[in-house]
Amino acid sequence: DKLGAYVKIAELFLRYRNSLEAGTYINKALHELTQIQSPLERGEQPPVSVRQLKARLEICVAKRDDLSGEYGKAAKSYEKLSRNSLAYDLAGGQAQLLKQAVLCALLMPAGKASRMLDGLTADDRVNPEKTPELTEIYPIMTKMHQERVMRAADIESLLSHVQDYQRESVLRSIKEHNLLAASKIYRNISIEELARLLQIEPLEAEQVAAGMMKEGRLKGSIDQQENLLKFEDARAEVSMW
């Protein structure tokens, strides 16, 4: 049938990390699914075969968003799929889907992941006692949720769990997170000290801060004369680095 064919083609494109072409067939499959589901809206349960295809399609949507860097959407999709027994049987287990949800939440832009992290940290299934596969990334998730500074060991640990295509996003996410974490502690910081904290060059540190302020994810200003980044967070306690 058309739905099965579209889902299979999307899966093949995703296997080769071609999210753009996969998206074309995902959209076709979603349209076909609505055509199938419309007669079932009277409350009838769809056949198992249709439910399985729907679960496979939802996995495709999550993977496409993951590959495309839409980590917020992917995190929500993976978490939702982790509650669908058909889905986690198809995706290598519930633990794998939960892990992908956590990883994608950690890769979201700093300042936009709080709600997702709130939900995940409150989810008993994410506790390593329930899901041992999350033992190594659970402390990192907790640290990010608590807006604490990430250290080199945290970065190395997180990098060991992500795919190659996600590595650049890890580095970007950690830089932004550490900058946001610093804003909760310090009222101001020199660009040079900020660069040392983020383990990057001063010019890049200034650019990261400017970008986050422009997007409204960081409240503060840059004093070019004093070469100082001034934060506006009310919780900041220290007046100078």
Side-chain angles (χ1 to χ4, degrees):
D1 58 16
K2 285 185 179 181
L3 177 59
Y6 292 150
V7 170
K8 182 63 177 177
I9 294 170
E11 289 172 334
L12 289 171
F13 277 122
L14 289 169
R15 186 179 300 172
Y16 292 97
R17 297 181 181 175
N18 189 334
S19 59
L20 186 62
E21 292 293 344
T24 299
Y25 287 91
I26 286 171
N27 290 335
K28 290 182 178 182
L30 287 170
H31 175 73
E32 191 66 25
L33 184 62
T34 60
Q35 302 299 110
I36 294 172
Q37 287 184 323
S38 293
L40 300 172
E41 288 178 354
R42 295 184 297 272
E44 299 175 21
Q45 181 77 344
V48 173
S49 59
V50 173
R51 283 183 282 148
Q52 287 178 330
L53 283 172
K54 183 181 179 184
R56 285 169 60 191
L57 178 56
E58 289 173 348
I59 293 169
C60 285
V61 171
K63 288 183 176 180
R64 177 202 59 189
D65 291 337
D66 186 348
L67 283 166
S68 302
E70 295 285 345
Y71 295 118
K73 292 180 181 178
K76 289 178 182 178
S77 294
Y78 283 129
E79 194 281 330
K80 181 181 177 182
L81 286 163
S82 73
R83 301 179 184 278
N84 181 339
S85 60
L86 277 176
Y88 57 71
D89 285 344
L90 292 165
Q94 185 182 51
Q96 179 62 22
L97 288 167
L98 281 170
K99 183 177 181 180
Q100 292 306 316
V102 171
L103 287 173
C104 285
L106 294 177
L107 298 181
M108 291 173 65
K112 292 187 176 181
S114 57
R115 184 175 295 180
M116 192 70 216
L117 290 172
D118 285 344
L120 287 170
T121 53
D123 190 337
D124 288 340
R125 300 174 305 153
V126 176
N127 191 303
E129 292 182 3
K130 295 281 185 69
T131 310
E133 291 87 345
L134 299 179
T135 299
E136 292 185 8
I137 61 174
Y138 183 81
I140 300 172
M141 180 188 71
T142 302
K143 221 172 187 181
M144 186 171 283
H145 183 239
Q146 294 174 347
E147 298 179 326
R148 292 158 55 197
V149 174
M150 297 283 187
R151 303 300 180 185
D154 300 314
I155 300 171
E156 289 303 313
S157 179
L158 186 53
L159 285 171
S160 71
H161 286 277
V162 300
Q163 300 294 318
D164 290 344
Y165 67 87
Q166 295 172 319
R167 290 178 69 85
E168 188 175 335
S169 295
V170 168
L171 300 177
R172 183 263 309 151
S173 174
I174 296 295
K175 282 185 289 191
E176 293 183 351
H177 167 79
N178 279 349
L179 177 50
L180 205 57
S183 77
K184 310 302 179 184
I185 305 170
Y186 302 100
R187 293 178 184 169
N188 52 53
I189 184 173
S190 71
I191 298 298
E192 288 76 12
E193 292 291 349
L194 177 63
R196 277 193 281 273
L197 173 67
L198 303 185
Q199 300 179 52
I200 56 179
E201 293 298 316
L203 178 59
E204 185 181 357
E206 185 176 344
Q207 290 172 339
V208 171
M212 291 180 68
M213 285 188 286
K214 183 178 180 180
E215 293 173 7
R217 293 188 285 129
L218 177 69
K219 294 181 179 181
S221 59
I222 298 174
D223 187 322
Q224 297 285 356
Q225 283 190 324
E226 295 186 29
N227 203 29
L228 202 66
L229 176 57
K230 299 179 179 179
F231 300 118
E232 296 178 8
D233 195 287
R235 289 177 289 172
E237 301 169 356
V238 182
S239 60
M240 272 299 282
W241 183 272

